[in-house]
Amino acid sequence: MKIITSKDQIPQNMSDSETAEFWSNHTMSEELLEASIIEEEDHDLPKRKSSTISIRIDEDLLLRIRNLARLRKKGYQTLIKEFLIERTYEEEKKILLFEGDILDFNDITRKETAVAKAE
């Protein structure tokens, strides 16, 4: 896999198949990836503590996510986080509809975190 260190190394005006082929053999360097993640709307938000995790993703799915991220002009990790946030919100809404109660998800998360740390 060839590592791209500059945006100049990324061909322009590729077809979808050419793009898929290119990104199946190339990846962006961490520095270039981090530089592409900065988004204007994030500058005014308070910094949240985040955790680094490792997950395994099918290569084809990762390629599709990277292509979507490129089209949206954002980093693929940012796009994955957005997908997770949106899906979590939808699942929380479903739980609220089925149970009919208002749940404090932050309280649930704190309890689950405490249990996980105890294990």
Side-chain angles (χ1 to χ4, degrees):
M1 176 100 30
K2 183 174 180 188
I3 297 174
I4 302 296
T5 57
S6 167
K7 288 184 179 182
D8 297 334
Q9 294 174 303
I10 303 171
Q12 299 298 312
N13 303 322
M14 292 186 286
S15 68
D16 288 345
S17 61
E18 291 170 329
T19 300
E21 175 67 25
F22 179 82
W23 287 113
S24 69
N25 298 315
H26 297 79
T27 188
M28 285 201 269
S29 69
E30 287 299 317
E31 295 81 16
L32 185 58
L33 185 59
E34 289 296 322
S36 67
I37 291 176
I38 298 172
E39 299 174 6
E40 286 185 33
E41 61 266 14
D42 289 345
H43 293 295
D44 297 333
L45 298 175
K47 294 291 179 187
R48 291 182 161 181
K49 184 178 177 186
S50 62
S51 299
T52 301
I53 64 168
S54 177
I55 60 173
R56 295 190 183 277
I57 297 178
D58 179 72
E59 288 182 20
D60 292 332
L61 177 59
L62 183 57
L63 177 62
R64 291 168 54 203
I65 291 170
R66 285 184 177 200
N67 285 334
L68 283 172
R70 184 183 54 77
L71 291 171
R72 295 182 182 190
K73 299 188 184 336
K74 59 178 65 179
Y76 76 95
Q77 292 176 339
T78 299
L79 186 62
I80 290 171
K81 285 191 281 187
E82 288 175 2
F83 286 166
L84 288 172
I85 290 166
E86 290 169 7
R87 183 59 188 201
T88 300
Y89 175 74
E90 292 300 319
E91 290 298 316
E92 289 171 345
K93 281 191 340 186
K94 283 183 196 175
I95 291 171
L96 291 174
L97 289 174
F98 289 126
E99 293 186 3
D101 296 326
I102 297 176
L103 299 176
D104 182 351
F105 286 101
N106 289 326
D107 188 45
I108 293 169
T109 302
R110 282 191 289 275
K111 288 177 185 173
E112 289 176 352
T113 301
V115 169
K117 286 182 180 178
E119 295 174 346

